[in-house]
């Protein structure tokens, strides 16, 4: 399966849809991720705090796909944002995964009340110089935090991974990222529980209507919407059926009016878990 790619500022190419791994652990997790790779996923997104690096590493080793054809991305936890701790954590994660380098590495949350994210960013840039990381990014960073990184280090991230779905389209953040040549990735791209809905986003009337028009399911409509926004979604699916369905979004186009219609579904306080980057503490 040929999946289009986004190209980052420094030239790294990322498939326009990746595979999220939160909660994937143990033998069942290896089976899930192995199936995902076999079904065509090449971008695998994980994090230190998912506590599944062994699982991810085993699945990569068991895969018939060459390591150089995979894009492995991970994230630094908040408790290790000091400079030396961040470098050591990156090394330790690579040992656990049995990898020589990360294609992409992110700061998981800014944790502004601890005020260590600049030192963490400096450590990521050093890790890139040492060949431990090919591209550096952040997750859940607001424009004010990105501005500070540029002011204090002269370097902006190449990727910003944020919560993004039809009820929380992140218009201002997307505009900032695009202006500064930062690729926006979407975690929880299909939404989730905790948003006060009586039904999943994929079953909202507009999404169902578009699904009937294009002969697609609701998840495919949402993922296509994100792709056309220039956003890289990271859906998680346990079954091969859903894994394959989530990749089957490249044979139709939403109109610009339809993309705008989905974006108008935005609601106040629509974060899946209520995690505001200004106040959320991730350790």
């Amino acid at each position: 399966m040929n999946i289009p790619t986004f190209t980052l500022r420094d030239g790294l190419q990322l498939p326009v849809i990746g595979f999220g791994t939160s909660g994937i652990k143990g033998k069942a997790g290896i089976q899930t991720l192995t199936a995902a790779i076999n079904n065509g996923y090449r971008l695998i997104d994980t994090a230190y705090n998912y506590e599944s690096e062994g699982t991810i590493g085993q699945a990569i080793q068991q895969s018939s796909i060459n390591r150089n054809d995979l894009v492995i991305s991970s994230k630094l936890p908040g408790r290790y944002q000091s400079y030396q701790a961040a470098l050591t954590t990156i090394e330790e994660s690579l040992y656990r995964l049995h990898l020589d380098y990360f294609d992409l590495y992110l700061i998981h949350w800014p944790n502004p009340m601890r005020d260590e994210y600049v030192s963490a960013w400096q450590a990521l840039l050093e890790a890139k110089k040492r060949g431990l990381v090919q591209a550096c990014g952040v997750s859940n960073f607001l424009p004010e935090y990105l501005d500070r990184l540029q002011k204090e280090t002269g370097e902006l991230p190449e990727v910003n991974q944020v919560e993004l779905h039809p009820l929380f389209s992140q218009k201002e953040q997307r505009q900032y990222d695009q202006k500064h040549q930062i690729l926006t990735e979407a975690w929880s791209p299909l939404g989730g529980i905790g948003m006060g809905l009586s039904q999943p986003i994929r079953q909202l009337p507009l999404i169902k209507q578009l699904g009937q028009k294009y002969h697609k399911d609701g998840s495919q409509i949402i993922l296509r919407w994100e792709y056309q926004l220039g956003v890289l979604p990271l859906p998680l699916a346990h079954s091969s059926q859903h894994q394959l369905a989530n990749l089957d979004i490249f044979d139709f186009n939403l109109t610009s009016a339809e993309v705008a219609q989905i974006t108008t579904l935005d609601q106040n306080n629509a974060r899946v878990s209520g995690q505001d980057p200004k106040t959320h503490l991730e350790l």
Side-chain angles (χ1 to χ4, degrees), residues 177-208:
D177 290 349
Q178 184 176 29
K179 178 180 178 181
H180 294 85
Q181 295 182 289
I182 300 170
L183 175 65
T184 303
E185 290 185 337
W187 63 262
S188 197
L190 303 175
I193 61 174
M195 296 179 294
L197 292 178
S198 59
Q199 58 189 343
I201 295 177
R202 65 181 181 274
Q203 294 179 3
L204 292 176
L206 173 61
I207 304 300
K208 290 179 69 175

Side-chain angles (χ1 to χ4, degrees), residues 1 14 34 43 50 55 64 82 94 101 118 130 132 173 176 185 192 205 209 219 237 241 245 249 254 262 264 277 283:
M1 181 181 296
L14 303 183
T34 299
L43 168 56
Y50 294 171
T55 294
S64 60
S82 64
L94 288 171
Y101 65 93
V118 173
R130 296 183 187 184
L132 302 176
Q173 186 66 61
Y176 178 99
E185 290 185 337
Q209 175 187 341
S219 295
Q241 179 183 356
I249 62 169
L254 297 169
I262 296 174
T264 62
L283 297 175

